[in-house]
Amino acid sequence: MADYLTDEEQADRLKRWWDQNGTALVVGVALAVAAVVGWRYYQTYTTNRDNDASAAYMAYLEARETGEPTTDLLATLDSEYTGSGYHVFALLHRAADQVEEEDWEEALAYLERAAELTDSQVIADTARYRAAKVLYQLGRLDQALAQLAKIRSAGFRVDVAELSGDIHIANDDPAAARAAYVAGVEAAGQETANPPNIELLELKLSSMVDQE
Amino acid sequence: MVMQKMRAGAQGLAAKVLMGLVVFVLAVTGFGAIQLFSGSEPVVASVNGDDITERALQAEVNAHRRAYEDLGQDLTQEMLDSLVDRGAVLAAMIDQALLAQAADDLGLSMADEAVQARLRAEFARQGGFDEALFRNALASVGHTPTSFHAERFVHEVTGQLRRGLSDTAFLTSRELRRASEVVAQKRDIAWLTFRVPSLMDEVEVSDEEIAEHYDAYQENYVSEERFDFDLVRMPRSSLEADIEIGEEEVVAAYEAEVADAEPLRRAAHILLEVSDERSPEEAERILAGARASILAGASFGEKAREMSEDPGTADDGGDLGPSGRGVFPAAFEEALWALAPGELSAPVRTEFGVHLIKLISEEAEDPPTLAERREEITARLRREEADRRFQSVLDDFDKLAFEEEDSLLGLAGEFGLAIEPLDGATRRTREGLLAEKAVRDALFSDEVLVEGYNSSAVATADAEALVARLRTRHPPLQRPLEEVKEAVRLTLKEFGARGLAEQRALRALEELTGGKAPSDVSGEHGLSWERADGFRIDGQGVPLPVAELAFSMKAPGPGERNTDLARLDDGSQAIVLLTNVALADYGALPEADREQLATMFASSAGPRDLAAMLRTLRGAASIDAKDLSDPG
């Protein structure tokens, strides 16, 4: 029976098995080792990179706070960490600083760049919402509405509706404004947990005379 | 044959790749993966697969309770329970978990050393990092240094995310105008009130109705449960009489005081005031410029003479003279005491404006003489000794009250004190000793009321040591109908009057909508309309329910009016008439109003954007949370 093999036969089988499978085994193990090493290396690399971006951003915030020059730090974030979370935050800060200076065009440029560079839908939508505020300020009402129309994040529905309503009012279109405010109140009603504060929105709506 | 060999080879290859994968997973995740298969702690919520354990929730709830207790308020356990809602705490933890995941997706991170540096800064006391303080703080929240470090990392990166969104939010002037014209709008309103108190006279209540109500609601007509206590108390002042303070002790205390005395700090500053024309940031920028030029060699004194807006010191080069602590605003003091002689601070904001501070020198004061200090030191030592004695009396009270738990005789005898009565106390009594929460908690504890033991020792606000025990308990008694008849009659009259008010108000509302003139409606009931023209939402003089309703009603068209019904707190009903809505003209608002509105709306921009992000994250997440509204 095949169960009883001589040493020679066993050695022979082992050898044949090795001839058939040896290469695959060596390649498999080598691949696994390479994958583990590569993955670990990649993890360390990205973590270090994130930490460096974090440090650069914190240094920028610190300098901004104390009034020291920020140009170099911003240049580093712009060039080395383009599109990273920290770069986008820095863009949002610069936009807010420009708003403070009432340099609306510059603020708009930073916000549009932030929306374009980030991978995060919700951060991009935050930037678009703010860009719409700036366009509203500039009186470019159609462009403001177009920015709002691009927002996909569900959490912004109430805010988008309220701002659209305000823009329609500025555009002398009360019917559209009313529709937007009503949509905002309805959207707020669908938020079960932590519904947004819509006192002002409701007051805006109740201040409008019915046109029937 | 060839086929067979290939198939065998392929199977082998698949097995080997699988094997490789297992090795890979273990190597990458470490043996953490193995824990996936072992039983684990109870979980209250899972956020995209990240678990929040019962234990973590409880730790957070406890932290919230401690925060309230630290406020030093007079809070009972029940009040704490109602203040710290487990559901709300869990919701906040879920938000935090969502932010942590979002921060991770955005690649937000912080090097271990940076996290460590922040921990060290937080647990720093004079002379550097306080290891003991750090370990105590950790132990009290059930953390090890490693788990605390990990939590801090998450705290830091979620903080970056929160601030990255909320600190960058802004309000444009056009938004402010629009919000202001709506919030500061004026409404012309009138209201007609059907008052419960005046309608009560019209309601007749028979003796049968009173008896019927009394029978049905007997439990509402019982006397309160009363308690008679026995007390033993000892005033702290009786411990002070025979304290002798020796000369050596006074001298030793005096010498310690002199050794500890901190030198005065002679500071100079440059002050820039903040106004409408100059924001704090602007002032800081100017001072940062001045700082740079002083560091580059310019004279501080000359800069102060040139630009400081402190008229009292500018001419003296900003010199404020030598001062101790407690003289300057807190931020100024903190900055000044952080400086070494000759050093310059960064710009510091206080209520006076923005300062650039220089420490000129430290100057030791001539110490006061022993004779000057003797009286105060003696009084302090006497006070400290009395504190020690009082503490030891409290300990003895506690011990004796516990050892002989069913009588006060031993305790009273030991200290030569009388047993005093405190009779007729109820759970709602708030007079005398019972004005104090600590005393009430001790007297109305289970050990005293249920077990009948002595209370533990309490130090009262009047500095007495006190132990109490229950002598007699007077259970609540049913009060006879005769005694409460008038109270029942009033209740029923009020009830009837509410019905009447509602009935009449509804009819009057119908008549108004049907076109009847408001003056006819009021005249019919012998009532008159009250008016508030140009009423603002934050105005005074209109009952709150009327004002709230008036501002939720739709604006009427020209020459029209809208009507609705408001219910007042006492059950009275008010018909509200809205005749005009006028949006505010932002430019015409008083300056103070504009500033207030600007502050209010500007400060809500950040929280608003953050809330929108959290709603988005919640909506997109898979959250599986236990419903905590029912206990158990």
Side-chain angles (χ1 to χ4, degrees):
Chain A
M1 287 189 58
D3 288 349
Y4 302 101
L5 299 173
T6 64
D7 289 352
E8 213 166 290
E9 277 170 335
Q10 279 192 5
D12 194 42
R13 279 202 170 190
L14 212 60
K15 188 166 176 303
R16 257 190 299 150
W17 181 88
W18 182 253
D19 286 345
Q20 279 173 4
N21 300 302
T23 325
L25 187 67
V26 168
V27 169
V29 168
L31 274 179
V33 168
V36 169
V37 170
W39 173 249
R40 291 253 149 162
Y41 175 78
Y42 174 72
Q43 269 193 323
T44 315
Y45 169 76
T46 51
T47 304
N48 285 344
R49 203 175 148 70
D50 291 345
N51 289 346
D52 293 346
S54 176
Y57 173 67
M58 298 304 272
Y60 159 67
L61 287 187
E62 172 93 28
R64 188 172 163 276
E65 190 83 357
T66 54
E68 276 155 40
T70 53
T71 327
D72 290 351
L73 295 164
L74 284 172
T76 309
L77 283 165
D78 272 335
S79 57
E80 307 271 316
Y81 307 108
T82 319
S84 69
Y86 292 113
H87 179 221
V88 172
F89 285 165
L91 290 170
L92 295 179
H93 273 294
R94 294 163 91 178
D97 290 344
Q98 294 308 319
V99 166
E100 184 86 1
E101 302 288 323
E102 302 200 358
D103 189 341
W104 306 105
E105 296 291 347
E106 276 288 293
L108 187 61
Y110 284 129
L111 291 168
E112 283 174 343
R113 192 160 149 74
E116 182 189 321
L117 285 180
T118 183
D119 297 333
S120 155
Q121 173 84 39
V122 67
I123 300 280
D125 284 343
T126 306
R128 289 187 187 111
Y129 174 65
R130 293 178 183 176
K133 290 179 170 203
V134 172
L135 288 163
Y136 171 50
Q137 174 76 25
L138 286 168
R140 283 148 62 178
L141 304 178
D142 291 341
Q143 290 177 35
L145 291 172
Q147 278 288 347
L148 291 177
K150 287 189 209 159
I151 294 178
R152 294 276 165 271
S153 296
F156 279 88
R157 280 187 304 169
V158 179
D159 308 84
V160 165
E162 184 168 353
L163 185 54
S164 307
D166 292 346
I167 295 169
H168 286 306
I169 293 272
N171 213 3
D172 212 12
D173 187 353
R178 166 182 294 282
Y181 290 149
V182 168
V185 172
E186 278 171 6
Q190 290 160 11
E191 295 283 347
T192 44
N194 311 52
N197 179 352
I198 53 164
E199 273 174 39
L200 180 59
L201 172 58
E202 285 179 316
L203 198 55
K204 282 173 180 171
L205 183 55
S206 85
S207 306
M208 298 187 75
V209 177
D210 257 325
Q211 312 275 339
E212 276 153 41
Chain B
M1 190 62 201
V2 177
M3 287 294 291
Q4 213 176 12
K5 194 174 165 186
M6 273 180 65
R7 209 167 61 211
Q11 276 171 357
L13 193 65
K16 274 157 236 155
V17 168
L18 200 66
M19 185 68 176
L21 270 177
V22 171
V23 171
F24 177 69
V25 166
L26 283 179
V28 168
T29 63
F31 285 83
I34 290 170
Q35 278 175 12
L36 282 176
F37 309 108
S38 61
S40 54
E41 305 181 50
V43 165
V44 281
S46 156
V47 181
N48 289 329
D50 286 350
D51 288 343
I52 298 173
T53 62
E54 170 69 40
R55 186 150 56 136
L57 172 61
Q58 195 52 49
E60 194 65 18
V61 167
N62 292 343
H64 276 76
R65 295 176 65 115
R66 267 197 305 279
Y68 277 111
E69 282 168 346
D70 288 349
L71 290 175
Q73 298 294 324
D74 199 12
L75 297 172
T76 62
Q77 287 305 308
E78 297 79 61
M79 285 163 85
L80 278 173
D81 286 342
S82 68
L83 278 170
V84 182
D85 171 23
R86 278 167 66 84
V89 172
L90 180 60
M93 289 178 80
I94 291 174
D95 282 356
Q96 178 68 8
L98 289 167
L99 284 176
Q101 290 162 0
D104 191 43
D105 290 346
L106 283 167
L108 303 194
S109 183
M110 193 178 257
D112 289 347
E113 307 83 67
V115 177
Q116 205 69 37
R118 276 165 186 265
L119 277 175
R120 291 188 160 267
E122 188 176 335
F123 291 95
R125 288 294 173 268
Q126 276 102 346
F129 179 64
D130 188 334
E131 178 83 25
L133 182 74
F134 177 63
R135 295 207 172 258
N136 281 341
L138 294 203
S140 73
V141 289
H143 266 301
T144 63
T146 315
S147 68
F148 195 59
H149 186 96
E151 195 197 76
R152 253 328 133 105
F153 174 87
V154 173
H155 176 88
E156 292 293 341
V157 295
T158 53
Q160 287 180 332
L161 176 54
R162 281 175 197 273
R163 288 190 300 276
L165 272 161
S166 64
D167 291 359
T168 54
F170 54 80
L171 178 80
T172 66
S173 52
R174 191 161 194 175
E175 282 181 280
L176 172 60
R177 279 172 175 272
R178 170 66 181 146
S180 299
E181 68 178 18
V182 173
V183 167
Q185 65 175 266
K186 290 178 170 176
R187 295 193 166 201
D188 294 346
I189 59 183
W191 67 104
L192 184 69
T193 316
F194 295 83
R195 292 182 199 283
V196 165
S198 16
L199 292 171
M200 278 169 71
D201 292 342
E202 295 183 34
V203 181
E204 291 296 330
V205 178
S206 68
D207 285 355
E208 289 77 52
E209 285 171 303
I210 291 177
E212 217 170 278
H213 179 86
Y214 176 81
D215 288 341
Y217 298 99
Q218 282 198 355
E219 70 275 13
N220 290 347
Y221 301 99
V222 291
S223 66
E224 223 176 325
E225 187 171 28
R226 288 180 303 120
F227 304 89
D228 296 341
F229 294 102
D230 280 339
L231 311 176
V232 173
R233 45 187 184 155
M234 177 169 217
R236 181 181 180 281
S237 54
S238 67
L239 303 170
E240 290 176 19
D242 60 337
I243 295 175
E244 291 296 336
I245 305 294
E247 180 64 15
E248 327 76 79
E249 292 174 71
V250 177
V251 171
Y254 168 76
E255 280 166 0
E257 214 176 78
V258 171
D260 283 352
E262 203 180 28
L264 298 180
R265 300 206 145 207
R266 179 159 172 197
H269 77 149
I270 300 173
L271 171 71
L272 289 186
E273 286 176 0
V274 171
S275 62
D276 287 348
E277 285 89 59
R278 190 198 285 145
S279 68
E281 290 77 18
E282 174 71 16
E284 280 174 356
R285 259 193 296 279
I286 299 172
L287 285 176
R291 182 175 194 270
S293 71
I294 294 167
L295 290 177
S299 143
F300 188 95
E302 264 160 40
K303 280 276 173 203
R305 266 184 283 275
E306 199 176 292
M307 60 193 294
S308 178
E309 291 168 2
D310 176 4
T313 64
D315 292 345
D316 302 329
D319 194 343
L320 288 157
S323 317
R325 285 185 187 268
V327 175
F328 301 118
F332 191 106
E333 177 175 308
E334 194 185 325
L336 175 56
W337 258 262
L339 296 177
E343 270 183 0
L344 276 181
S345 73
V348 177
R349 289 190 202 181
T350 72
E351 67 255 41
F352 299 108
V354 183
H355 311 254
L356 185 65
I357 308 166
K358 179 180 181 176
L359 174 59
I360 301 176
S361 57
E362 291 185 319
E363 295 181 6
E365 235 182 330
D366 281 340
T369 63
L370 176 57
E372 283 169 339
R373 296 287 303 145
R374 172 170 282 113
E375 198 174 332
E376 211 172 299
I377 290 176
T378 314
R380 173 165 62 82
L381 292 176
R382 186 183 295 280
R383 209 162 49 235
E384 286 170 3
E385 175 59 20
D387 282 344
R388 270 191 294 276
R389 292 189 184 189
F390 186 58
Q391 191 53 52
S392 118
V393 165
L394 272 177
D395 292 346
D396 288 346
F397 261 47
D398 224 21
K399 205 168 114 228
L400 288 169
F402 180 74
E403 279 170 5
E404 193 185 347
E405 62 194 11
D406 45 12
S407 162
L408 288 175
L409 289 171
L411 175 63
E414 179 82 22
F415 284 90
L417 297 166
I419 296 178
E420 304 166 46
L422 173 69
D423 290 348
T426 74
R427 287 178 194 272
R428 290 192 304 172
T429 309
R430 291 290 183 275
E431 285 154 4
L433 281 170
L434 292 174
E436 275 178 65
K437 176 177 179 294
V439 176
R440 291 199 300 273
D441 284 353
L443 266 58
F444 292 98
S445 63
D446 281 352
E447 51 176 342
V448 173
L449 297 188
V450 181
E451 314 284 347
Y453 298 150
N454 293 333
S455 75
S456 46
V458 189
T460 71
D462 287 341
E464 290 178 332
L466 176 144
V467 170
R469 64 175 292 103
L470 181 67
R471 177 160 23 84
T472 323
R473 181 176 194 150
H474 307 279
L477 293 174
Q478 187 65 47
R479 299 170 71 188
L481 176 58
E482 290 68 48
E483 203 180 299
V484 297
K485 197 166 175 183
E486 283 318 300
V488 177
R489 187 190 305 280
L490 268 182
T491 306
L492 290 178
K493 274 190 166 222
E494 199 183 318
F495 190 72
R498 286 181 185 195
L500 217 51
E502 192 175 339
Q503 207 181 336
R504 290 187 189 174
L506 278 172
R507 202 177 61 230
L509 185 67
E510 218 167 276
E511 289 169 353
L512 273 174
T513 0
K516 196 165 175 176
S519 56
D520 290 348
V521 172
S522 57
E524 199 173 291
H525 292 280
L527 298 170
S528 52
W529 289 90
E530 293 169 88
R531 298 190 61 88
D533 286 338
F535 186 69
R536 264 173 59 163
I537 201 165
D538 57 352
Q540 302 285 320
V542 175
L544 194 59
V546 171
E548 276 178 354
L549 180 68
F551 275 91
S552 71
M553 286 164 68
K554 260 201 186 106
E560 294 172 9
R561 59 170 194 245
N562 286 333
T563 49
D564 207 341
L565 200 58
R567 186 178 188 282
L568 306 191
D569 293 341
D570 66 351
S572 301
Q573 302 279 340
I575 295 179
V576 179
L577 214 62
L578 175 64
T579 49
N580 188 40
V581 172
L583 293 188
D585 173 1
Y586 179 77
L589 289 174
E591 167 118 22
D593 285 11
R594 275 186 290 167
E595 268 175 26
Q596 201 189 346
L597 288 163
T599 316
M600 179 171 90
F601 289 118
S603 66
S604 68
R608 180 179 187 142
D609 286 4
L610 193 57
M613 180 178 75
L614 276 168
R615 283 197 296 276
T616 305
L617 295 177
R618 270 198 296 269
S622 131
I623 299 174
D624 183 10
K626 251 190 188 171
D627 185 7
L628 296 179
S629 48
D630 303 329

